[in-house]
Amino acid sequence: MELVIATTNLHKIREFRDMLKGIKHIDVLSLLNFPQYHPAEEVGKTFQEIAHAKALHAMNALQKWVLSDDSGIVVPSLNGAPGIKSRRYAGEDATDAENRQKLLKELAGTKEHERAAYFECCLVLASPNGFVKSSTGTCEGVILTEERGRNGFGYDPLFVKSEYDKTFAELEESTKNRVSHRRKALEKLLVTLESMS
Ligand code: IMP
């Protein structure tokens, strides 16, 4: 059966495809399969609220099982920034590189403990028959003082997970997908996804 990942972010789509490849009865689609679809304005003050709004909007418009993802990186010493603004931290149309540069600038001269950070991912699974389930995953680590690695996206070149030496952008994609915030959130929905028919 079809499951629409409610995003046009190619990196997220790729990660979900990899993480869901073991569930043979799920045919993974994304919003790229529906070019006529207009996403709603992002509304909400938390990852949870935004993910919920994304899922319900896409599910109502497409009348299919939908999985939405709202995620970002949280730096407690910056009062939670970039947080829900992670994608547009350096401005509305900022690139990932510009967002990383801004984060490096904000953290310039800080001590190691002030560079503690975590990724958070909130997922919402929704179906046209009224089923809605959400889950959250986090991944704790630290922000480096310079970028390392070419894999992944967003803040991956700056983030080293606790007890790891390599950034998310230096790890094999399959390794990131085993330990990431997205993986942890998805794990809590796997039983439901496996029993979907
Ligand atoms: P969203 O599309 O509004 O959920 O924003 C997600 C943004 O958070 C991305 O554009 C990245 O900047 C950041 N982000 C979320 N997940 C990851 C990840 O796994 N690695 C690196 N950056 C991420």
Side-chain angles (χ1 to χ4, degrees):
M1 74 167 294
E2 292 179 337
L3 174 67
V4 182
I5 311 298
T7 186
T8 53
N9 180 321
L10 288 169
H11 301 278
K12 286 188 185 179
I13 295 167
R14 190 179 158 108
E15 291 187 6
F16 279 113
R17 280 192 189 285
D18 182 50
M19 293 188 287
L20 290 167
K21 64 177 187 259
I23 310 181
K24 300 293 178 211
H25 64 274
I26 293 185
D27 187 8
V28 177
L29 305 180
S30 75
L31 293 180
L32 297 175
N33 294 97
F34 303 92
Q36 75 285 12
Y37 174 78
H38 292 293
E41 282 284 302
E42 268 196 20
V43 281
K45 293 194 179 69
T46 62
F47 292 115
Q48 162 73 41
E49 284 177 10
I50 300 168
H52 193 263
K54 280 184 192 174
L56 276 264
H57 187 271
M59 185 275 291
N60 281 320
L62 303 173
Q63 289 297 305
K64 290 184 184 296
W65 276 86
V66 159
L67 180 66
S68 70
D69 168 315
D70 201 68
S71 46
I73 194 153
V74 178
V75 182
S77 73
L78 297 178
N79 297 318
I84 59 167
K85 297 211 174 95
S86 291
R87 186 163 47 85
R88 43 184 194 283
Y89 189 41
E92 201 49 45
D93 299 315
T95 62
D96 283 354
E98 288 166 343
N99 289 331
R100 291 193 297 269
Q101 279 311 308
K102 171 155 182 185
L103 183 56
L104 284 175
K105 208 167 131 202
E106 295 291 328
L107 287 173
T110 52
K111 301 200 172 66
E112 171 92 15
H113 72 271
E114 292 170 302
R115 307 180 79 87
Y118 60 90
F119 275 118
E120 182 166 337
C121 174
C122 184
L123 301 180
V124 175
L125 180 63
S127 83
N129 63 15
F131 177 91
V132 180
K133 189 169 179 179
S134 59
S135 71
T136 298
T138 58
C139 186
E140 285 75 27
V142 69
I143 304 292
L144 300 183
T145 53
E146 58 184 22
E147 302 188 4
R148 284 189 349 219
R150 304 181 71 86
N151 295 337
F153 70 107
Y155 299 88
D156 283 346
L158 291 177
F159 181 80
V160 175
K161 179 176 158 50
S162 303
E163 289 157 24
Y164 280 63
D165 305 323
K166 293 182 175 174
T167 66
F168 266 2
E170 291 175 308
L171 292 176
E172 293 291 327
E173 284 176 54
S174 57
T175 307
K176 177 187 173 190
N177 290 342
R178 272 205 312 276
V179 299
S180 74
H181 46 305
R182 193 159 288 111
R183 172 65 192 213
K184 288 185 188 167
L186 187 64
E187 246 158 36
K188 298 173 194 165
L189 298 176
L190 281 183
V191 173
T192 308
L193 290 167
E194 276 160 0
S195 62
M196 268 167 64
S197 57

